Amino acid sequence: MRPVLLALRALGIGDLATVVPALRALRRAHPGHQLVLAAPAGLTPLVDATGVVDRVFATPAYVRSPVASLAWSGPRPDVAVNLHGSGPQSHRALLATGPARLVAFACAAAGWPSGPQWTEDEHEVARWCRLLHWHGIPADPDDLALHAPPPVASWAGAVVVHPGASGPERRWPVPRYAELARRLSRDGYRVLVSGSPREAPDAHDVARRAGLPPGAVLAGRTDVGALAALVAHAALVVCGDTGVAHLATAYGTRSVLLFGPMSPARWGPPPARLRHTVLWHGPDGLDDIGVDEAYAAGWAQLTGAAGDRIGVDRRAVRRDAAAAR
């Protein structure tokens, strides 16, 4: 029987995307282990797209609650890796599985002194790569790409507008999404509006205000696999700081990302990737991003004027943001 490497990342789409480099590093370091990822079952299509995880151990999504227990029923892990948080709950949940080795940040509250110190103000991708480096496992923070699923013919090549986000503070106003969608549709682009079932009312509101047909609303009609196919083969994605933004980065899909209050220095695409334009006016500046600015950024991406290197030029983002104030 192969030894088990159990990694924990029981969060959402964007959270999974940011640990892809770490998962690949773990696979390289332990090629003979069965790599099991403890994560919500709904993320399985994206986990499979990493190309390195052998099995998903289904958990709830602990987005706003601590990991009390994993209810692990497998053999004692040879290695357990906390890619979920700083502890103490997640540390204790993994320690309860009886691993021979735990790879984690130091956490006095969990009685675990071995590991690097947690740094709050750090890019999420760099955080987990730094953890592994400390434990002697090299990781490449640029290794973010996911294997793209096949396209859905009726969706491929569309502009995808995604007005939802995990909290209201991360959502650009619906009327602005609608006006942006209206302009892009007027320019001849097919515009689709995505979102979760909970975000469907806002998505329908965007479509109605933009004059889009009801069939343009995909919110509530896509599981994670279908959402991945939509984003992977889109001409452009416009969204806030949410999981869809991370999918656009993973697939190299051109995007305009509307950030706030969280800084893109912590959750945005890697530097110097021109396919992703980040609009950022500071932690209180999401409402300061105007439709004209977003439309100009989208037009530059769609026409290739933004460049073709996969990524975002942060100096240009800061310069443009300052000029717009």
Side-chain angles (χ1 to χ4, degrees), residues 231-237 247-255 275-276 310:
V231 172
H233 301 284
L236 177 72
V237 171
L247 289 182
T249 300
Y251 293 124
T253 301
R254 293 182 180 276
S255 62
R275 283 178 176 250
H276 312 294
I310 298 177

Side-chain angles (χ1 to χ4, degrees), residues 1 10 17 19 36 51 89 98 108 115 119 131 156 168 179 227 248 253 281 288 291 325:
M1 180 182 294
V19 297
V36 179
Q89 293 93 343
T119 302
L131 169 67
E179 175 59 19
L227 180 64
T253 301
H281 289 231
D288 294 334
V291 176
R325 292 192 172 193

